[in-house]
Amino acid sequence: MTEIPAALVEALRAAKRVLFFTGAGVSAESGLPTFRDAQTGLWANYKPQDLATPEAFARDPETVWRWYQWRRRVHADVAPNAAHRAIAEFETRLPDAVLVTQNVDRLHELAGSLAPIHLHGSVFRNKCAQCGVEMPEVPHDLESPPRCTECGGLCRPDVVWFGEGLPEGPWKAAVEAAAAAEIVISVGTSATVHPAARIPLLAREAGALVVQVNPEATPLDRVALNLRGPAGVVLPELLSRL
Ligand code: BJW
Ligand code: ZN
């Protein structure tokens, strides 16, 4: 792991508004696959165009539904790791910390983060694919999507698929937090999926220091102070220096 610069520790001690921006890598040490890892990533083993688009669901709702039911069973079985716990602890120690996540898991909440802003929804929530009304959670072994009682449309997971807009409230809150942030700590994201990937860049344009925690290079490297290493090691180390 790279050394944590003393100047960063000083900047964190002095900062009021710190924004944490997380992606699938923060949950990797809990055992959840990321999306773009070349071997174990979901998109290395499943085609996103067959599973994570509204067109795929319209074409073959049963296949898409069953894939998300499998994901729900996997997600229900994992626990937060040291990185989730460190972020929750940072939130209590820093005066005005905000957590923006692209993750559809609930590991930040389980680690004690009170109000993560979810840009890509939650794999556990449901909505009607036709009228959009919220639908109740169902047993994770139900093989077919139930019908909406309002309009007869099919139930789908309340996540953001490719080609869909991000939920308006969370997106607006994330943009506002980015504009106000003094420091952004981007953790475990390939920073390639837009518009979410704009969040650290918006903060940078507004003058924030961008710190990146990731064992691999990403497009954020050129504007960030890069702490190469697993989030479950780097974040507790950073916290211990605060
Ligand atoms: C570790 C670690 C450890 C490992 N510690 N780190 C501009 C340019 C180009 C394309 C576009 C653009 N604007 C829009 C697009 C199109 C598209 C897009 O971005 N495509 C790109 C992929 C090219 N975007 C969209 O379609 C978006 N919608 C949209 O634009 O709508 C327009 C519209 C507007 C108004 C009305 C209507 C339409 C929507 C994007 C939705 C993304 N959805 C997914 C699936 C969610 C549901 C599900 O889970 O099934 O969201 S895709 C997937 O990617 C998921 C993630 O949230 C997202 C980001 O991935 P993430 O989290 O970064 O994971 P990975 O795997 O990529 O990276 C993991 C990282 O962790 C790696 O860097 C590792 O090194 C690291 N790591 N172990 C720390 N221990
Ligand atoms: Zn409906």
Side-chain angles (χ1 to χ4, degrees):
M1 188 192 92
T2 42
E3 270 296 295
I4 291 173
L8 169 58
V9 177
E10 284 310 310
L12 265 177
R13 284 185 187 146
K16 289 193 177 60
R17 294 175 304 277
V18 178
L19 168 59
F20 288 87
F21 177 66
T22 65
V26 82
S27 299
E29 290 158 81
S30 292
L32 285 181
T34 64
F35 291 91
R36 293 174 183 79
D37 181 89
Q39 269 84 45
T40 60
L42 287 172
W43 298 157
N45 295 291
Y46 303 92
K47 289 190 195 148
Q49 63 272 32
D50 291 346
L51 296 162
T53 66
E55 293 77 19
F57 187 75
R59 216 165 36 234
D60 187 355
E62 300 261 332
T63 297
V64 174
W65 174 261
R66 279 199 293 270
W67 191 65
Y68 279 95
Q69 287 287 74
W70 165 71
R71 297 260 312 276
R72 286 167 169 165
R73 293 194 292 272
V74 173
H75 280 223
D77 248 15
V78 298
N81 64 55
H84 298 104
R85 288 193 294 272
I87 291 172
E89 178 67 22
F90 271 118
E91 287 178 272
T92 66
R93 306 248 302 252
L94 299 167
D96 195 2
V98 177
L99 169 58
V100 175
T101 186
Q102 300 166 85
N103 294 346
V104 298
D105 64 41
R106 55 185 172 196
L107 295 179
H108 283 304
E109 284 89 338
L110 290 176
S113 287
L114 291 179
I117 296 171
H118 281 275
L119 292 182
H120 291 160
S122 162
V123 83
F124 291 106
R125 285 199 313 257
N126 282 315
K127 67 177 182 184
C128 171
Q130 196 161 278
C131 75
V133 72
E134 189 180 332
M135 290 180 69
E137 209 180 315
V138 293
H140 299 159
D141 56 1
L142 190 71
E143 292 261 320
S144 304
R147 293 266 172 198
C148 172
T149 49
E150 309 279 322
C151 77
L154 287 174
C155 183
R156 57 161 280 186
D158 189 4
V159 295
V160 181
W161 284 329
F162 285 107
E164 293 186 314
L166 270 52
E168 214 171 296
W171 174 247
K172 199 163 163 271
V175 168
E176 275 169 16
E182 292 158 88
I183 303 181
V184 175
I185 307 186
S186 174
V187 187
T189 174
S190 60
T192 50
V193 175
H194 286 267
R198 293 254 345 121
I199 291 299
L201 298 173
L202 286 172
R204 178 81 188 82
E205 283 158 21
L209 166 68
V210 177
V211 180
Q212 175 169 240
V213 180
N214 198 314
E216 308 289 337
T218 81
L220 258 194
D221 278 30
R222 63 188 172 81
V223 297
L225 190 169
N226 295 295
L227 302 176
R228 295 262 188 259
V233 175
V234 177
L235 289 176
E237 171 67 20
L238 188 58
L239 184 65
S240 75
R241 303 271 300 274
L242 206 64

